[in-house]
Structures are given as C-alpha cells and as structure tokens.
Amino acid sequence: MINTLRRNIKKQDSVVSQLLYRIVKFAKYGQLPPLTILYKLVYLCYKLMGIAFHRCINLFIYLPMLQSQLTQYAKGLQLENGMPLIAGPVSISIGNNACLNGAMSIHGHPDNEQCQLVIGDDCYIGWQTGITVGTKVIIGNNVMIAGRTMISGHSGHGVSIDERDNPKMADLVIEDNVWLCTNCHIVRPVHIGKGSVIAAGCIVTKDVPENVLFGGNPGKVIRYLNT
C-alpha cells in the first residue's frame, strides 16, 4: 500500500507532491540520526522500568502464590521469569534462600496421593527443568540444577503392553553440593552422592557415588573429583 501511494505521488509534478513523496519514503525507509547518548538513556529507562515491573509482579503475585503451595514459609525464596507450573498431588517443601526459574514444572504422579518434593537451602533450579515425583524426591542443600534437566521419580513404563500402565515408583535422592549440568535426564529413581557433578546431556539410570564426574549415555563414572 505504501509503495502504491509513493508511486502515485511521485507521478505528480508539484512542490506538495515532492514533499509528500519524501514523507512517504521516510515512513518506509527512514531512520532517525544517530542520537547515541539520548537513546542510551532511553534504553536505560526502558530496562529499569522492566526490572521494576517484574520485581513488583514477583513480590506481590508470583512469590505469594508459590509460598501458598508450600508446606512452610521459605525464607529468602527467589523466582525468575514467572511462576512454576505445579500439577498433580504433590506436597512441596523448600528451604531458605532457594531460587527457582518460573519456566520449570513440578508434577506429582496421579497414581500416588502422597507425593512429596523436598528442596534444601541455597538451591538453584534452572529454566525448562521438569521434576516428576513418584513417591518422594529429596534435593539436598546447595544443589545447582541447570536448565532443561528432567528428573523422574519413577521408572517410566514397561515395554510390554501389560506393564505400560504401572510405572514403578520409588524415592529419588540428590545429596548436598551436587551440580546437574544442562540437559541431564534422570530417568528412574536413583541416589546421587554428595559433591558429584552430572555432565551435560548425561542419562542417569543408576546410583552415582560421592564426589565424581558422571557423564555419558548411559551415564558412568568418568573420574573422581578432588575433595
């Protein structure tokens, strides 16, 4: 439409048509001169308003909603990017000074009415992480869980038709000071020992000893870490 208008105006031979032609051309192709200092201030104001807005939403909406779903008040709780998805029958306990990304999900398995998720002090859980609770998932203190990590508190479904509707559920434990790197998948209830690091992309199908680097598909001990 703008191109058609520009061509029609250009055909007219008058001062007004030339002025209109320049205005239409600027509307399509034009830019303001490089007012760098001015727009640095504009961008700074834009960022500050965004930070203030999201802080208010967290303070008055997301954090109180999350706290209302916990078994006790979590001191120093922080949220990034909204409110986590909570679905199914699950009781949630979070320790002090934990930080959760809002783009994560917590699911209680519908076959168990007493699912329990316990998250310790000073933990971080990243974006697009999913935690499925079979019976109980216990995450210790100072545990870092990077984005896109999947934690499954049940063994999934069997291959045969008769086993597909009855997943085996058990407790899953992640001890203190564990680091789960990006895109880890814990695909059955396991026990991960203190201080261990699960490498990016690892598929965890068995228990992990303390203070090891664990990686691969399926996961295995790569080396022991200095303590």
Side-chain angles (χ1 to χ4, degrees), residues 32-54:
L32 293 174
L35 305 174
T36 305
I37 295 177
L38 173 62
Y39 281 95
K40 280 187 176 180
L41 293 175
V42 172
Y43 181 75
L44 178 61
C45 292
Y46 165 78
K47 294 293 288 184
L48 290 175
M49 287 189 295
I51 291 171
F53 174 76
H54 288 295

Side-chain angles (χ1 to χ4, degrees), residues 78-140:
Q78 299 179 53
L79 274 177
E80 297 176 344
N81 304 319
M83 171 77 180
L85 170 65
I86 301 174
V90 57
S91 169
I92 304 172
S93 171
I94 301 178
N96 297 330
N97 304 314
C99 180
L100 278 63
N101 193 291
M104 65 164 292
S105 61
I106 299 169
H107 298 265
H109 199 283
D111 290 347
N112 183 4
E113 295 294 331
Q114 297 181 340
C115 298
Q116 185 177 1
L117 171 63
V118 179
I119 300 173
D121 298 336
D122 303 303
C123 290
Y124 176 81
I125 301 178
W127 73 297
Q128 292 188 354
T129 287
I131 301 175
T132 300
V133 184
T135 55
K136 183 184 295 185
V137 172
I138 301 176
I139 299 173

Side-chain angles (χ1 to χ4, degrees), residues 2-227:
I2 292 180
N3 285 334
T4 303
L5 180 63
R6 184 166 58 89
R7 284 195 299 268
N8 292 335
I9 294 174
K10 190 176 183 181
K11 293 177 182 178
Q12 307 298 320
D13 187 16
S14 68
V15 175
V16 174
S17 64
Q18 291 178 6
L19 177 61
L20 290 175
Y21 174 77
R22 291 177 182 176
I23 292 174
V24 173
K25 185 177 180 181
F26 178 80
K28 182 170 184 179
Y29 301 111
Q31 294 187 36
L32 293 174
L35 305 174
T36 305
I37 295 177
L38 173 62
Y39 281 95
K40 280 187 176 180
L41 293 175
V42 172
Y43 181 75
L44 178 61
C45 292
Y46 165 78
K47 294 293 288 184
L48 290 175
M49 287 189 295
I51 291 171
F53 174 76
H54 288 295
R55 178 55 187 161
C56 288
I57 292 295
N58 266 347
L59 182 62
F60 296 109
I61 299 179
Y62 293 143
L63 278 170
M65 284 198 303
L66 180 58
Q67 293 278 16
S68 72
Q69 302 303 304
L70 306 182
T71 58
Q72 86 291 330
Y73 185 81
K75 295 181 180 179
L77 178 62
Q78 299 179 53
L79 274 177
E80 297 176 344
N81 304 319
M83 171 77 180
L85 170 65
I86 301 174
V90 57
S91 169
I92 304 172
S93 171
I94 301 178
N96 297 330
N97 304 314
C99 180
L100 278 63
N101 193 291
M104 65 164 292
S105 61
I106 299 169
H107 298 265
H109 199 283
D111 290 347
N112 183 4
E113 295 294 331
Q114 297 181 340
C115 298
Q116 185 177 1
L117 171 63
V118 179
I119 300 173
D121 298 336
D122 303 303
C123 290
Y124 176 81
I125 301 178
W127 73 297
Q128 292 188 354
T129 287
I131 301 175
T132 300
V133 184
T135 55
K136 183 184 295 185
V137 172
I138 301 176
I139 299 173
N141 299 322
N142 196 36
V143 172
M144 294 188 298
I145 301 176
R148 293 186 172 178
T149 292
M150 295 293 118
I151 299 173
S152 180
H154 61 79
S155 60
H157 303 276
V159 176
S160 67
I161 295 177
D162 295 336
E163 296 177 342
R164 290 181 187 175
D165 294 332
N166 299 303
K168 297 178 181 178
M169 294 179 286
D171 293 352
L172 187 151
V173 178
I174 301 172
E175 294 193 7
D176 298 347
N177 304 312
V178 168
W179 177 18
L180 304 182
C181 298
T182 302
N183 202 32
C184 293
H185 287 246
I186 302 175
V187 298
R188 64 180 60 185
V190 296
H191 191 114
I192 299 178
K194 293 181 181 179
S196 288
V197 176
I198 311 300
C202 178
I203 308 297
V204 182
T205 60
K206 60 184 180 181
D207 291 350
V208 178
E210 294 184 2
N211 298 310
V212 298
L213 176 61
F214 195 85
N217 180 12
K220 62 181 180 180
V221 175
I222 297 174
R223 63 181 175 88
Y224 284 83
L225 303 175
N226 295 327
T227 59

